[in-house]
């Protein structure tokens, strides 16, 4: 089997910092791994899955060299990397989604990404953004630390040991699963075989893989950064006998909000403070996974969403699983998270306050009426263009929506206006906007319209139609010139067309103080990629 190697920046290696610049190096390869006990060829980063933690400090510029030697024919061989949640101001060409801001990196070639962090801090992640490739393993955590964190007094420990990832896992390759899904008119999305916490899990009928363990010391307060690396599954996260205080959502600090459990959708992140104030013992960490609202599936007997656990291990406790029963739901009196209760810590008001938005966009989405494996927004299936959206703006001067291909589904946005987007369709789709955090002025969780202090994040769950309940509405200001992808983060749905492209300030992209100026290496990506045979793309 061919070998895959991608190098880009990683925490695990020595780092070089010079005047705010951080240089990292990663290697990604194909190898056989068994995170849930089932052996398969997958994509690993520096020999591990999930990929190693990347860290930086507020204000850093991070350079990440990516060398692609993807030659395994069972998986995609070209690649690109998205730095999920990083705004990339004046740096849209390094955002990462293939055919939106770049051509993919061809096998045997290299590209160096730059992350202009500016004032951003918090919890993020990175993943492949070509077709459904990240299902095979190109996904890992990214954290930007704030030396002057205004909530630092709330916790004692915040380091690599307090990062918790949840992920779904498939025994077949993404390429096989995608081909099967797209090849059947009535097919439902591929159902994962298991759920993982910190890269470890179990599937029905599989071996009893030892659960991941999170170590704590009695009396200490821990900032757990919980990151969903999932491609489809939604998780419900809790820790037995321990309440949690949410202080961050998707990179934005929020006022402390005490809960006993919270849902986390693909792409979302939360920081929660947990006090280790219980008797020295072992306690269950639960992350119940659901697919289309269910913890089992008739199409995949391996899947048991109720069997995703890890162990919170107190120093001095026995090296064993907890003796208590695995709690599968909240107990009476416990508090369940509701998104609309989140309040941003700084500047909580929505952009523009409660005045009408300058531009209102309704996105009504549904599966195709003939093909169930197609997703449409306002009747259009997104399809990747042959020329990246950004390249058409820069090289061909595209500034009007009519100049782009119809299936690119472009909305052109003027600079410095307030945009409000309403999602109308079925509930539970995690919509992610590149290039911005947004205010959730109407949350699927309830609460009605809120322009005073709505939650702020970059992945939000859709609601329902206004006639049948509460739709989801988000608001942001167009202060970041670039072509920004807005899409469902269920990777199968994105690949099936559940996306639009917001081309923000196209004239400003081309010239002026907000202009996007790619480097020569970026300009060569398409020249190299376009010469590849289809098998290597």
């Amino acid at each position: 089997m061919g070998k895959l190697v991608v190098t880009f920046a990683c925490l695990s290696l020595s780092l070089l910092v010079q005047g705010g610049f951080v240089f990292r190096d990663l290697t990604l390869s194909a190898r056989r791994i068994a995170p849930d006990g089932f052996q398969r060829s997958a994509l690993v980063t520096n020999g591990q899955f999930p990929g190693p933690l990347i860290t930086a400090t507020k204000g850093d510029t991070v350079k990440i060299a990516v060398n692609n030697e993807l030659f395994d024919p069972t998986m995609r061989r070209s690649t690109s990397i998205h730095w999920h949640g990083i705004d990339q101001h004046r740096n849209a060409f390094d955002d990462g989604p293939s055919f939106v801001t770049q051509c993919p990196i061809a096998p045997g070639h290299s590209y160096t990404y730059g992350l202009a962090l500016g004032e951003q801090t918090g919890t993020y992640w990175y993943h492949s953004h070509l077709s459904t490739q990240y299902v095979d393993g190109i996904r890992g955590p990214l954290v930007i630390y704030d030396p002057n964190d205004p909530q630092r007094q709330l916790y004692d420990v915040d380091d690599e040991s307090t990062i918790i990832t949840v992920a779904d896992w498939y025994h077949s390759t993404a390429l096989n699963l995608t081909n099967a899904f797209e090849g059947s008119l009535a097919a439902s999305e591929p159902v994962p075989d298991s759920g993982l916490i910190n890269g470890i899990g179990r599937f029905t009928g599989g071996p009893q893989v030892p659960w991941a363990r999170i170590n704590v010391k009695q009396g200490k307060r821990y900032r757990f950064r919980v990151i969903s690396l999932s491609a489809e599954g939604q998780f419900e996260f809790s820790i037995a006998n321990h309440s949690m205080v949410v202080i961050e959502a998707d990179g934005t600090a929020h006022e402390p909000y005490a809960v006993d459990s919270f849902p986390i959708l693909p792409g979302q992140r939360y920081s929660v403070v947990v006090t280790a104030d219980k008797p020295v013992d072992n306690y269950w960490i639960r992350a119940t996974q659901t697919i289309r609202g269910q913890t089992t599936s008739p199409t995949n007997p391996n899947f048991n969403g109720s069997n995703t656990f890890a162990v919170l291990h107190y120093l001095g406790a026995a090296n064993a699983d907890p003796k208590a029963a695995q709690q599968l739901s909240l107990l009476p009196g416990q508090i369940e998270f509701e998104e609309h209760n989140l309040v941003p810590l700084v500047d909580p008001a929505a952009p523009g306050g409660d005045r009408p938005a300058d531009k209102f966009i309704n996105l009504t989405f549904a599966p195709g009426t003939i093909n169930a494996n197609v997703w449409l927004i306002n009747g259009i299936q997104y399809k990747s263009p042959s020329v990246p959206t950004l390249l058409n703006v820069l090289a061909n001067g595209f500034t009007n929506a009519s100049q782009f291909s119809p299936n690119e589904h472009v909305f052109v946005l003027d600079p410095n206006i307030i945009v409000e987007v309403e999602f109308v369709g079925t509930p539970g789709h995690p919509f992610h906007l590149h290039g911005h955090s947004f205010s959730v002025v109407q949350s699927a969780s309830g609460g009605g319209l809120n322009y005073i202090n709505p939650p702020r994040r970059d992945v939000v769950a859709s609601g329902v139609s206004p006639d049948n309940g509460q739709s989801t509405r988000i608001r942001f200001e167009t202060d970041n010139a670039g072509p920004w992808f807005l899409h469902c983060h269920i990777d199968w749905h994105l690949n099936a067309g559940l996306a639009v492209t917001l081309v923000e300030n196209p004239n400003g992209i081309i010239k002026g103080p907000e202009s996007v100026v790619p480097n020569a290496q970026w300009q060569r990506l398409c020249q190299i990629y376009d010469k590849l045979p289809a098998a290597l793309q």
Side-chain angles (χ1 to χ4, degrees), residues 82 86-97 100-101 389 411 413 432-436 476 479-487 500-504 509 516:
H82 172 52
I86 304 302
D87 291 343
Q88 296 287 41
H89 183 251
R90 292 202 66 194
N91 209 45
F93 63 95
D94 277 344
D95 188 44
V100 179
T101 61
T389 307
F411 292 83
L413 305 178
H432 170 49
L433 174 61
H434 293 222
H436 291 276
F476 63 96
D479 55 4
N480 190 13
W484 303 118
F485 218 14
L486 173 57
H487 62 87
V500 299
T501 310
L502 306 183
V503 178
E504 183 176 330
I509 293 173
V516 176

XYZ file of all heavy atoms in Angstrom, residues 82 86-97 100-101 389 411 413 432-436 476 479-487 500-504 509 516:
328
model
N -7.832 22.995 6.293
C -8.583 24.152 6.809
C -8.298 24.317 8.293
O -8.301 23.338 9.051
C -10.077 23.947 6.576
C -10.934 24.983 7.235
N -10.734 26.342 7.058
C -12.014 24.860 8.067
C -11.656 27.003 7.741
N -12.433 26.137 8.359
N -10.253 30.009 12.415
C -9.284 31.100 12.265
C -9.807 32.051 11.180
O -10.085 31.634 10.055
C -7.888 30.566 11.893
C -7.425 29.543 12.944
C -6.895 31.719 11.767
C -7.354 30.073 14.358
N -9.940 33.340 11.503
C -10.581 34.299 10.593
C -9.772 34.576 9.336
O -10.336 34.914 8.296
C -10.847 35.617 11.325
C -11.933 35.477 12.386
O -12.691 34.481 12.344
O -12.021 36.359 13.262
N -8.452 34.486 9.439
C -7.568 34.689 8.278
C -7.807 36.057 7.615
O -7.986 36.162 6.400
C -7.753 33.555 7.257
C -7.352 32.175 7.743
C -5.856 31.976 7.840
O -5.130 32.861 8.269
N -5.388 30.812 7.453
N -7.757 37.107 8.409
C -7.938 38.459 7.868
C -6.836 38.801 6.877
O -5.653 38.641 7.175
C -7.952 39.480 9.011
C -8.208 40.875 8.560
N -7.240 41.850 8.555
C -9.326 41.458 8.067
C -7.739 42.975 8.086
N -9.007 42.770 7.783
N -7.206 39.218 5.684
C -6.309 39.508 4.568
C -5.486 38.274 4.181
O -4.482 38.393 3.495
C -5.366 40.683 4.870
C -6.041 42.027 4.984
C -5.054 43.151 4.743
N -4.582 43.139 3.351
C -3.524 43.816 2.904
N -2.800 44.533 3.746
N -3.169 43.760 1.634
N -5.931 37.119 4.602
C -5.171 35.889 4.396
C -6.077 34.771 3.894
O -5.836 33.597 4.130
C -4.515 35.473 5.733
C -3.233 34.707 5.541
O -2.394 35.091 4.735
N -3.076 33.619 6.267
N -7.132 35.152 3.167
C -8.136 34.180 2.743
C -7.532 33.058 1.909
O -8.045 31.934 1.912
C -9.243 34.884 1.952
N -6.451 33.337 1.197
C -5.863 32.301 0.340
C -5.313 31.123 1.136
O -5.067 30.051 0.578
C -4.769 32.891 -0.556
C -3.586 33.465 0.169
C -2.455 32.707 0.379
C -3.590 34.775 0.624
C -1.344 33.225 1.036
C -2.490 35.321 1.273
C -1.365 34.538 1.491
N -5.135 31.294 2.458
C -4.657 30.207 3.304
C -5.763 29.603 4.168
O -5.486 28.876 5.124
C -3.509 30.682 4.196
C -2.170 30.659 3.477
O -2.078 29.997 2.423
O -1.220 31.303 3.955
N -7.032 29.900 3.850
C -8.136 29.343 4.637
C -8.256 27.843 4.460
O -8.611 27.123 5.395
C -9.447 30.037 4.245
C -10.598 29.657 5.143
O -10.401 29.619 6.371
O -11.702 29.401 4.630
N -8.036 27.328 3.250
C -7.895 25.894 3.065
C -8.941 25.131 2.292
O -8.617 24.037 1.796
N -10.208 25.581 2.172
C -11.172 24.726 1.465
C -10.860 24.626 -0.022
O -10.750 25.635 -0.719
C -12.516 25.420 1.706
C -12.170 26.844 1.975
C -10.852 26.802 2.698
N -12.455 26.690 -3.192
C -12.995 27.970 -2.741
C -11.856 28.968 -2.646
O -11.892 30.026 -3.274
C -13.727 27.842 -1.392
C -14.259 29.211 -0.937
C -14.871 26.850 -1.489
N -10.818 28.622 -1.883
C -9.685 29.540 -1.728
C -8.385 28.995 -2.311
O -7.386 29.714 -2.313
C -9.453 29.878 -0.245
O -9.162 28.674 0.476
C -10.679 30.542 0.362
N -12.839 29.834 -6.425
C -13.572 31.093 -6.353
C -12.621 32.278 -6.190
O -12.747 33.302 -6.874
C -14.565 31.047 -5.186
O -15.388 29.889 -5.304
C -15.439 32.288 -5.162
N -23.202 34.374 -3.164
C -23.826 35.616 -2.725
C -22.705 36.647 -2.610
O -21.742 36.423 -1.860
C -24.504 35.454 -1.373
C -25.711 34.560 -1.381
C -25.567 33.177 -1.302
C -26.994 35.082 -1.467
C -26.674 32.341 -1.304
C -28.109 34.257 -1.472
C -27.947 32.882 -1.392
N -21.369 40.102 -1.206
C -21.687 40.975 -0.078
C -20.852 42.242 -0.134
O -19.629 42.179 -0.320
C -21.418 40.244 1.243
C -22.118 38.894 1.441
C -21.709 38.284 2.778
C -23.629 39.042 1.353
N -21.414 25.899 9.426
C -20.150 26.587 9.757
C -19.882 27.667 8.733
O -19.971 27.434 7.523
C -18.997 25.590 9.768
C -17.641 26.202 9.867
N -17.319 27.158 10.811
C -16.500 26.005 9.129
C -16.045 27.510 10.658
N -15.537 26.839 9.645
N -19.543 28.869 9.224
C -19.144 29.987 8.366
C -17.652 30.201 8.498
O -17.148 30.411 9.605
C -19.899 31.266 8.755
C -19.480 32.545 8.031
C -19.684 32.432 6.522
C -20.248 33.740 8.589
N -16.939 30.159 7.376
C -15.509 30.472 7.371
C -15.334 31.988 7.456
O -16.167 32.761 7.005
C -14.862 29.968 6.080
C -14.819 28.482 5.946
N -13.709 27.808 5.462
C -15.729 27.514 6.219
C -13.943 26.512 5.436
N -15.176 26.308 5.887
N -14.205 32.422 8.014
C -13.843 33.829 7.991
C -14.490 34.700 9.043
O -14.145 35.879 9.167
N -15.406 34.165 9.818
C -16.139 34.965 10.810
C -16.604 34.107 11.977
O -16.907 32.922 11.806
C -17.409 35.578 10.196
C -17.172 36.649 9.191
N -16.959 37.966 9.529
C -17.123 36.596 7.833
C -16.798 38.686 8.426
N -16.881 37.878 7.381
N -23.661 38.862 11.244
C -22.255 39.238 11.281
C -22.047 40.478 10.428
O -22.924 40.876 9.642
C -21.355 38.091 10.788
C -21.580 37.702 9.344
C -20.789 38.222 8.324
C -22.588 36.813 8.998
C -20.995 37.865 6.997
C -22.801 36.448 7.672
C -21.999 36.974 6.678
N -16.562 42.611 7.512
C -15.320 43.343 7.762
C -14.087 42.502 7.440
O -12.999 42.783 7.922
C -15.268 43.815 9.216
C -15.453 42.676 10.217
O -15.538 41.503 9.790
O -15.526 42.963 11.428
N -14.260 41.466 6.606
C -13.148 40.564 6.295
C -13.272 40.126 4.837
O -13.955 39.143 4.525
C -13.175 39.352 7.235
C -11.923 38.502 7.123
O -10.920 38.912 6.540
N -11.985 37.297 7.669
N -12.611 40.840 3.950
C -12.738 40.569 2.514
C -12.240 39.160 2.178
O -11.150 38.764 2.583
C -11.955 41.610 1.712
N -13.048 38.432 1.428
C -12.651 37.086 1.014
C -13.853 36.282 0.567
O -15.001 36.653 0.828
N -13.603 35.170 -0.114
C -14.683 34.226 -0.415
C -14.805 33.230 0.737
O -13.896 32.440 0.973
C -14.208 33.548 -1.703
C -12.711 33.577 -1.618
C -12.332 34.754 -0.746
N -15.911 33.289 1.446
C -16.043 32.474 2.652
C -17.114 31.416 2.458
O -18.252 31.706 2.094
C -16.375 33.359 3.855
C -15.357 34.436 4.080
C -15.551 35.782 4.028
C -13.958 34.254 4.374
N -14.382 36.459 4.276
C -13.382 35.544 4.487
C -13.140 33.138 4.551
C -12.028 35.737 4.763
C -11.788 33.334 4.815
C -11.250 34.618 4.929
N -16.739 30.184 2.722
C -17.616 29.033 2.580
C -18.599 29.016 3.759
O -18.208 29.238 4.916
C -16.767 27.765 2.594
C -17.220 26.684 1.661
C -18.141 26.912 0.658
C -16.692 25.397 1.799
C -18.534 25.894 -0.208
C -17.073 24.372 0.945
C -18.001 24.626 -0.061
N -19.854 28.751 3.489
C -20.878 28.545 4.510
C -21.525 27.204 4.201
O -22.166 27.047 3.159
C -21.914 29.682 4.475
C -23.145 29.538 5.370
C -22.756 29.358 6.840
C -24.063 30.750 5.207
N -21.373 26.233 5.095
C -21.775 24.871 4.740
C -22.146 24.050 5.956
O -21.777 24.368 7.100
C -20.634 24.160 3.997
C -19.378 23.992 4.795
N -19.164 22.921 5.632
C -18.252 24.764 4.887
C -17.969 23.033 6.201
N -17.394 24.140 5.767
N -23.070 27.156 0.416
C -23.069 28.336 -0.450
C -21.730 29.030 -0.259
O -20.968 28.729 0.667
C -24.212 29.325 -0.120
C -25.577 28.667 -0.311
C -24.077 29.872 1.302
N -21.428 29.996 -1.134
C -20.196 30.770 -1.029
C -20.551 32.245 -0.867
O -21.294 32.795 -1.694
C -19.315 30.605 -2.276
O -19.163 29.214 -2.567
C -17.952 31.230 -2.065
N -20.047 32.864 0.190
C -20.262 34.293 0.419
C -19.003 35.034 -0.026
O -17.963 34.949 0.628
C -20.550 34.563 1.894
C -21.691 33.764 2.532
C -21.901 34.199 3.982
C -22.988 33.904 1.736
N -19.093 35.714 -1.166
C -17.946 36.467 -1.674
C -18.058 37.884 -1.118
O -18.850 38.700 -1.576
C -17.902 36.469 -3.207
C -16.726 37.305 -3.710
C -17.775 35.030 -3.730
N -17.239 38.142 -0.120
C -17.325 39.374 0.653
C -16.359 40.429 0.119
O -15.159 40.190 0.028
C -17.007 39.045 2.118
C -17.115 40.193 3.088
C -16.873 39.735 4.519
O -17.192 38.556 4.838
O -16.370 40.543 5.325
N -11.081 42.604 -2.248
C -10.155 41.470 -2.369
C -9.074 41.800 -3.396
O -7.899 41.473 -3.213
C -10.920 40.200 -2.807
C -11.874 39.734 -1.717
C -9.938 39.073 -3.160
C -12.776 38.585 -2.139
N -6.349 40.851 -0.769
C -5.784 39.522 -0.515
C -4.676 39.304 -1.528
O -4.917 39.348 -2.742
C -6.869 38.443 -0.637
C -6.262 37.055 -0.458
C -7.978 38.687 0.390
